[in-house]
Amino acid sequence: MCGIVGYAGSEQAVPILMGGLAKLEYRGYDSAGVALQQDCGLTVIKSKGRLAELRRQLETAGDTRGTVGLGHTRWATHGEPSDLNAHPHLSQDARFAVVHNGIIENYIELKQMLLEKGYTFQSQTDTEVIVNLLAYYDTGDLLDTVLKVRNKLGGSYALGVLSAAAPGQIVAVRKDSPLIVGLCKSGALMASDIPALIAHTRDYYELSEREAAVLTKDGARFYNVNREPVSKTPYHVDWDIDAASLGGYEHFMMKEIMEQPRVLRDTISSKIHDGEVVFPDVSLTRAQVEAIDRLYIVACGSAAHAGMVGKHVIRRVAGLSAEVELASEFRYQEPLLTDRSLVVIISQSGETADSLAALRYAREKGAKTLAVVNVLGSSIARSAEHVIYTNAGPEIAVATTKAYSCQLAVMYLLAVYLGRALGRLSDEDNASLLKELQALPDKADALLGCKETMQYYAAQYYGAKDIFLIGRNLDYAAALEASLKLKEISYIHSEAYAAGELKHGPIALLERGTLVVALAATVSMADKLRSNILEVKARGAEVLALAQEGDEKIKTVADALFEVPRTPDIFTPSMTIIPMQFFAYYVAAMRGMDIDKPRNLAKSVTVE
Ligand code: F6R
C-alpha cells in the first residue's frame, strides 16, 4: 500500500526520492508525487498513474532543485486515483506539505471543524485534513505542531511533514503504519520499507508507535510520545542491493520462485541445532506448552493458507488441535481465549493491519502470542511475545511465493517443536521428520526444472475462462494457495474445492474442456481423490493431476500428470505449490498481465 520516502541532506533530493519510490512500487499504487523545499517555498509535483508519468512531469516542471523532499506512491482509499487526490498534499496556505500512509478514522469530524474555520479542500482525501490541521495549529515549531496534530488523529498513520518555515527539516511520526529512518553520508532518509533505503544504508531505525523523528542533513533525532529525546539502536540488514533488484529476471515473481531452494535452506537450517528444533526468539516453557488449552493460527490470504497446512501438520505431528482464522474475522468470532491459549500470527510483511489488530486483541485477552514473520523489526514482530522469522529475504512481487514456502517450512518446524515439547514425538520420529524436512530444499531445487513443463501446460490453458482446483486435506490447503496465485496475477476466475464437496454444488459449473487441476500428492488421500477425478471427467473436464513420483494408479485417470518428488504426506504442499506458481506465472505472462504488480492489489495491506 502507499509508499513513503523522505530525504533531508546536502544532495539533490529528486533522484533519491524517485529511486526510493521505484523500490516501493511493489507495494501497489495508482498515483505518485514529490514535494520539495525550494527557496521560493514548497513545490509539489504529482500525477495519477505510474512513476513514469511522474518522471515526465518532473522533466517538464522546470526548476526541481532542492535537497529536502518527500515522495509518495498512493494506493487509493479515500477518493479515486487522480492528480488531485495524489500525495503530497499542501495546506491551503502552501506552508506545509504532507505524505501519509494509513487511514484517519475521525477525518470527517476534523474536516467539519476546519470547514467551519473557513478552510477549503481540493481533494477527497483524509490527508488534506491533516495538512490543514498543521496550518491551523501551527505553533511556529515544526515538531511541536506535528505532535499537536498527531494528538488529534484517530486511526493509522505514517506521516512525513515539510514546512516552508523549517528549512532543512522533515518531521516524521507514525502509528500502526510502518516507517523507518536511515542515515547516510549526505543526510537522513525515511521510508515505508527497507528496499527504498538499501542503496544508501543497510542500518535503519524503526519508529515505535507514536514516536517522532526529525531528519536533517546532520542526522536524525528521535522523540517518544511525550516529546522526550530517545536514543535508538539500529537494525542491520545483510541483503545486498541485488536482493531488492531483478538480477537478470524479467519479473520479481520468477526471481523469487527460483530463490525458494535457498531461502528454504536458510529457514530450515537456522532452526535445527543438534537434532532438535530451536527457535531463539521463543521462550515458551514446557509447562506452558503442556498447558495450552486452544491453539489459533491467524493470518490473511496466502499466510492463512500456510496456516491451514500448519493446522493439519500440528494435529498430526504434535497431537494438538488447532483452529485457523482469517485475521479480519478473528476478533468478531469472539474466540475463546484464556492465558493458556496460544495465538500464532503468520505474516510476511509483519504490517498487515488485520493481523496486527488480531494480535493486539489476543494480547488484550491475555493469550500468548507467537508471530511467524519475514520482516525483521516489523510491527507484528515487535508486538508479539514470541517470534519465529522466516528467512525469505525481501519479497517484492505482490503475489507471495518464497515467503509462503518459508511459512510452510516454519509450520512443519513448529509442529515438530510442539510435538517434542509435549513429549509426543519419539527421538526416532523426530530424527526422521527433521531429515525429511532438511531434504526439502534439494527437492525444491529439482522442481525448478519443471518450469518448461508448466509453461507448456500454461500455453494450453491461458485462454481459459475458469480453472478449478481440487484436493483433500493438505492437498486442499495447497489448492487454495494455487488458486489464489492464478486469480491474483492472471485474473482468470479460479476456485479451489475440497474434492469431496464438488458434488454438493460446484460440479454444476463444469463444462466440456474446463481445466480441473487435481492436487493428489498426499498418499493417504489418493484413492478417494481418484474417484473425484473420475467424477469431474465424467462431466467433460480435462484433468491435470499433480502426484508423487511413482503413483501409477493416478496415470489411469488423469489426462495429464505432473510428478513431484516423493516426500511424507505432511510436506507435500511444499512440493505441489512450486509447479503451480510456475503455471500461474506463465498463464499471466501469456495473457500479458502486470505480473509483479497486479491490478488493485498491494503488497503490504496496512488498512483493515
Ligand atoms: C497473496 C498474498 C497475500 C498475503 C496477505 C497477507 O499472494 O501475498 O494474500 O499473503 O495479504 O500478507 P502478510 O503475509 O504480509 O501479512
Side-chain angles (χ1 to χ4, degrees):
M1 297 210 146
C2 306
I4 290 178
V5 187
Y7 171 73
S10 53
E11 288 179 28
Q12 286 304 310
V14 167
I16 295 175
L17 298 176
M18 290 303 283
L21 290 181
K23 295 289 182 212
L24 296 180
E25 276 195 290
Y26 74 91
R27 296 168 70 87
Y29 69 105
D30 39 50
S31 58
V34 294
L36 295 170
Q37 226 172 34
Q38 296 190 300
D39 294 341
C40 57
L42 301 178
T43 303
V44 169
I45 298 160
K46 55 186 186 173
S47 72
K48 183 180 162 184
R50 295 284 179 195
L51 285 182
E53 182 50 39
L54 177 62
R55 227 169 257 123
R56 264 192 294 280
Q57 301 232 3
L58 284 163
E59 275 159 22
T60 53
D63 184 5
T64 57
R65 279 171 301 170
T67 60
V68 180
L70 296 168
H72 191 268
T73 46
R74 172 176 187 255
W75 189 83
T77 55
H78 291 72
E80 55 170 11
S82 69
D83 291 355
L84 275 182
N85 287 335
H87 297 212
H89 286 280
L90 273 178
S91 56
Q92 188 174 297
D93 56 13
R95 284 186 299 131
F96 292 92
V98 165
V99 289
H100 168 215
N101 179 6
I103 291 186
I104 302 304
E105 284 167 2
N106 58 340
Y107 88 104
I108 294 179
E109 297 94 289
L110 294 169
K111 187 170 182 174
Q112 190 53 39
M113 185 276 275
L114 288 169
L115 286 168
E116 282 162 18
K117 306 279 176 207
Y119 283 81
T120 53
F121 293 85
Q122 312 287 317
S123 75
Q124 298 149 299
T125 63
D126 48 351
T127 310
E128 201 183 356
V129 174
I130 305 175
V131 77
N132 280 315
L133 283 175
L134 290 164
Y136 180 68
Y137 286 109
D138 187 9
T139 64
D141 175 280
L142 182 57
L143 179 60
D144 262 356
T145 310
V146 172
L147 296 187
K148 203 162 180 182
V149 169
R150 176 198 65 187
N151 294 339
K152 311 276 174 207
L153 303 177
S156 59
Y157 48 82
L159 294 175
V161 182
L162 286 182
S163 160
Q169 263 188 44
I170 297 175
V171 172
V173 65
R174 74 170 278 264
K175 177 179 166 278
D176 290 340
S177 280
L179 201 58
I180 56 174
V181 170
L183 305 182
C184 61
K185 279 196 195 113
S186 65
L189 297 121
M190 59 184 255
S192 314
D193 203 355
I194 301 163
L197 301 188
I198 205 114
H200 308 279
T201 178
R202 293 206 189 119
D203 296 310
Y204 67 94
Y205 300 85
E206 185 78 48
L207 280 193
S208 297
E209 289 295 281
R210 291 165 61 84
E211 267 184 2
V214 179
L215 279 64
T216 65
K217 70 174 172 25
D218 301 319
R221 297 189 305 274
F222 300 98
Y223 298 89
N224 68 13
V225 66
N226 302 318
R227 204 192 191 280
E228 291 150 357
V230 281
S231 67
K232 295 180 82 71
T233 316
Y235 289 93
H236 178 77
V237 280
D238 48 15
W239 316 339
D240 50 20
I241 293 179
D242 282 353
S245 65
L246 278 166
Y249 287 94
E250 202 176 333
H251 298 104
F252 280 107
M253 183 173 174
M254 180 54 84
K255 179 180 179 235
E256 289 161 4
I257 294 174
M258 300 299 281
E259 283 172 353
Q260 288 178 111
R262 179 174 57 76
V263 297
L264 275 173
R265 207 165 278 124
D266 291 348
T267 301
I268 295 167
S269 65
S270 60
K271 294 168 185 65
I272 300 178
H273 296 286
D274 298 330
E276 296 290 344
V277 173
V278 178
F279 298 129
D281 300 309
V282 174
S283 54
L284 289 168
T285 62
R286 189 177 173 141
Q288 284 174 327
V289 174
E290 278 169 358
I292 292 173
D293 59 354
R294 274 179 209 91
L295 174 55
Y296 287 100
I297 305 179
V298 184
C300 300
S302 298
H305 297 157
M308 277 189 71
V309 172
K311 158 182 134 164
H312 291 300
V313 177
I314 289 169
R315 186 154 49 215
R316 288 190 196 192
V317 173
L320 201 61
S321 162
E323 288 177 52
V324 183
E325 300 282 358
L326 296 173
S328 53
E329 291 288 309
F330 183 61
R331 286 170 289 163
Y332 314 110
Q333 321 264 25
E334 298 180 17
L336 303 170
L337 295 174
T338 70
D339 60 356
R340 290 166 53 203
S341 312
L342 177 64
V343 177
V344 177
I345 307 279
I346 310 176
S347 175
Q348 185 285 126
S349 61
E351 300 296 346
T352 302
D354 281 316
S355 305
L356 184 58
L359 168 57
R360 291 190 176 140
Y361 176 86
R363 286 201 73 159
E364 274 165 31
K365 297 283 170 195
K368 298 183 173 48
T369 53
L370 189 166
V372 176
V373 189
N374 196 39
V375 178
L376 198 84
S378 55
S379 302
I380 291 177
R382 283 182 293 115
S383 310
E385 290 162 277
H386 309 279
V387 185
I388 305 173
Y389 286 104
T390 45
N391 302 80
E395 193 178 62
I396 308 291
V398 165
T400 181
T401 51
K402 62 174 182 169
Y404 167 78
S405 279
C406 291
Q407 289 165 350
L408 289 184
V410 168
M411 290 297 106
Y412 308 144
L413 288 158
L414 182 61
V416 172
Y417 170 90
L418 293 171
R420 286 300 264 174
L422 291 168
R424 293 183 189 150
L425 201 58
S426 67
D427 289 350
E428 208 183 2
D429 288 345
N430 179 55
S432 125
L433 280 176
L434 293 189
K435 189 164 164 242
E436 291 287 355
L437 196 43
Q438 283 166 311
L440 284 182
D442 284 347
K443 293 178 185 175
D445 215 356
L447 274 167
L448 299 184
C450 76
K451 222 165 130 203
E452 280 74 30
T453 311
M454 296 321 281
Q455 189 176 19
Y456 165 79
Y457 289 128
Q460 292 185 23
Y461 292 106
Y462 76 94
K465 181 164 66 77
D466 311 285
I467 296 181
F468 296 99
L469 287 101
I470 56 171
R472 284 172 176 263
N473 201 260
L474 285 150
D475 283 323
Y476 170 50
L480 286 169
E481 174 58 10
S483 172
L484 180 60
K485 289 284 92 65
L486 258 172
K487 299 193 237 280
E488 62 186 339
I489 62 166
S490 76
Y491 314 152
I492 292 182
H493 169 247
S494 168
E495 299 294 339
Y497 291 107
E501 267 299 294
L502 274 190
K503 43 191 171 299
H504 299 286
I507 205 161
L509 294 167
L510 296 182
E511 292 170 5
R512 185 147 301 281
T514 305
L515 175 63
V516 175
V517 179
L519 298 192
T522 51
V523 174
S524 54
M525 294 290 125
D527 291 342
K528 291 251 180 304
L529 199 80
R530 273 199 307 279
S531 311
N532 300 129
I533 292 177
L534 289 171
E535 286 160 13
V536 299
K537 283 196 58 162
R539 272 81 191 172
E542 289 175 20
V543 176
L544 165 63
L546 273 69
Q548 296 212 28
E549 277 164 1
D551 181 346
E552 294 303 322
K553 289 191 198 156
I554 195 99
K555 290 185 183 154
T556 60
V557 293
D559 296 298
L561 174 65
F562 181 84
E563 294 184 312
V564 298
R566 293 196 73 78
T567 188
D569 274 2
I570 53 169
F571 301 137
T572 50
S574 295
M575 299 289 96
T576 47
I577 197 60
I578 294 178
M580 291 313 296
Q581 292 166 345
F582 281 129
F583 182 72
Y585 175 91
Y586 284 117
V587 167
M590 287 168 199
R591 291 165 70 91
M593 300 308 174
D594 191 350
I595 294 184
D596 285 339
K597 297 187 280 290
R599 69 182 177 207
N600 306 336
L601 297 182
K603 182 68 180 164
S604 187
V605 184
T606 48
V607 292
E608 286 180 29

